[in-house]
Amino acid sequence: MPGDRLTAEDRRRIAEGLAAGLTYAEIARRLGRSRSTVTREIARNGGPHGYQAARAQHTTSWRARRRKRTPHTDVPHTTDNRDVRTAREFEEQFVAMMIETGLAPMTARVLAALFLSEGGSLTAAELVQHLRVSPATISNAIKWLEQREMVVREREARRVRYFVDVDVWYHTWAASARAMAIWADTTRHGAGIFGTDTPTGDRLRTTSQFFELLGHDMAQAAEHWRQTLSMQRQR
């Protein structure tokens, strides 16, 4: 039924649909599910290139067992119960690193909290309690992360839980590669307008060459990682 949780058979059909090159919308129609349900399922379990039905089923079962066994807390924690102060210190270091490399402070704090939580997920209320900020502040940070496919959401009864996407870094890197391609195309167009025999045109041409090469290398690196991760999951 559309309102029920996905079954092992549903996941097998999703994997078959991806292998056949079907769109998410077509897979959803064949399952009688919403497109958002299929999209979240694939995003949380390896993405379109790394999705495996058996692994997705196992991971979902593990999450369900863990939730029953261990209540969620607002403090990111580790499975070996390391000192909370040490975990907090690392969280601050993790946040500082992300801010230094370009992420907005609150977005970095939200991503770090999700990333360091035991299950890689927290509700909005848990994020509010942990970070001691308003729900609106959490919502804005989550929106930015969702737009870049860095987190996904799943509804649990009357609340929404946010998960760090298993392919978060692949998506981020691939998005950066696409941005480089846009820069390359735009500056190449500008070089044609101004003429490469002019200082402005020459500057635009050189910029275009730089971003074209950088984007190509980034796309290759992202694909190499995807293939490596896929092989690791098959072992």
Side-chain angles (χ1 to χ4, degrees):
M1 297 292 293
D4 297 336
R5 294 182 180 276
L6 291 172
T7 65
E9 175 62 17
D10 290 332
R11 293 187 167 94
R12 183 187 66 78
R13 293 174 64 187
I14 288 174
E16 290 178 348
L18 290 172
L22 300 181
T23 64
Y24 289 7
E26 179 60 27
I27 293 173
R29 281 195 294 271
R30 294 189 179 193
L31 290 178
R33 306 277 182 168
S34 68
R35 186 182 185 279
S36 61
T37 295
V38 172
T39 299
R40 287 195 301 270
E41 167 68 15
I42 296 170
R44 290 179 59 194
N45 294 286
H49 302 292
Y51 186 86
Q52 294 181 35
R55 183 179 293 275
Q57 183 68 21
H58 174 77
T59 300
T60 301
S61 298
W62 177 86
R63 284 179 180 142
R65 290 195 300 270
R66 186 187 60 76
R67 288 171 191 161
K68 290 179 181 179
R69 183 174 64 250
T70 307
H72 291 282
T73 67
D74 63 308
V75 180
H77 51 282
T78 54
T79 54
D80 56 1
N81 296 317
R82 289 187 178 130
D83 182 72
V84 172
R85 178 179 295 179
T86 302
R88 285 285 195 177
E89 289 175 351
F90 176 76
E91 182 178 0
E92 291 304 316
Q93 180 184 354
F94 199 31
V95 169
M97 178 274 296
M98 287 191 281
I99 294 173
E100 184 179 354
T101 54
L103 222 57
M106 184 49 60
T107 304
R109 293 180 67 194
V110 169
L111 181 59
L114 290 169
F115 205 86
L116 299 179
S117 63
E118 184 178 6
S121 72
L122 293 168
T123 65
E126 289 167 343
L127 284 166
V128 166
Q129 185 177 1
H130 174 61
L131 298 177
R132 303 182 187 281
V133 296
S134 69
T137 300
I138 296 296
S139 178
N140 288 334
I142 286 292
K143 181 178 180 181
W144 191 93
L145 292 167
E146 283 187 309
Q147 288 174 341
R148 289 152 182 81
E149 302 181 71
M150 297 176 75
V151 300
V152 293
R153 67 173 66 197
E154 182 176 286
R155 180 164 293 281
E156 292 181 346
R158 296 183 178 180
R159 64 181 183 178
V160 174
R161 181 167 296 280
Y162 299 103
F163 292 84
V164 176
D165 189 349
V166 69
D167 279 341
V168 57
W169 308 124
Y170 171 79
H171 289 309
T172 302
W173 193 259
S176 295
R178 290 193 294 270
M180 297 302 100
I182 294 172
W183 269 88
D185 289 343
T186 302
T187 51
R188 186 187 309 111
H189 177 64
I193 291 175
F194 288 93
T196 55
D197 57 342
T198 67
T200 300
D202 183 62
R203 186 161 54 248
L204 287 166
R205 178 184 60 81
T206 302
T207 300
S208 175
Q209 290 174 337
F210 169 77
F211 282 115
E212 183 175 7
L213 178 61
L214 182 60
H216 177 265
D217 289 347
M218 291 178 69
Q220 283 192 322
E223 180 62 19
H224 177 66
W225 165 246
R226 184 192 66 77
Q227 294 177 1
T228 300
L229 185 61
S230 179
M231 288 188 291
Q232 289 175 349
R233 288 170 174 158
Q234 293 172 8
R235 293 173 183 171

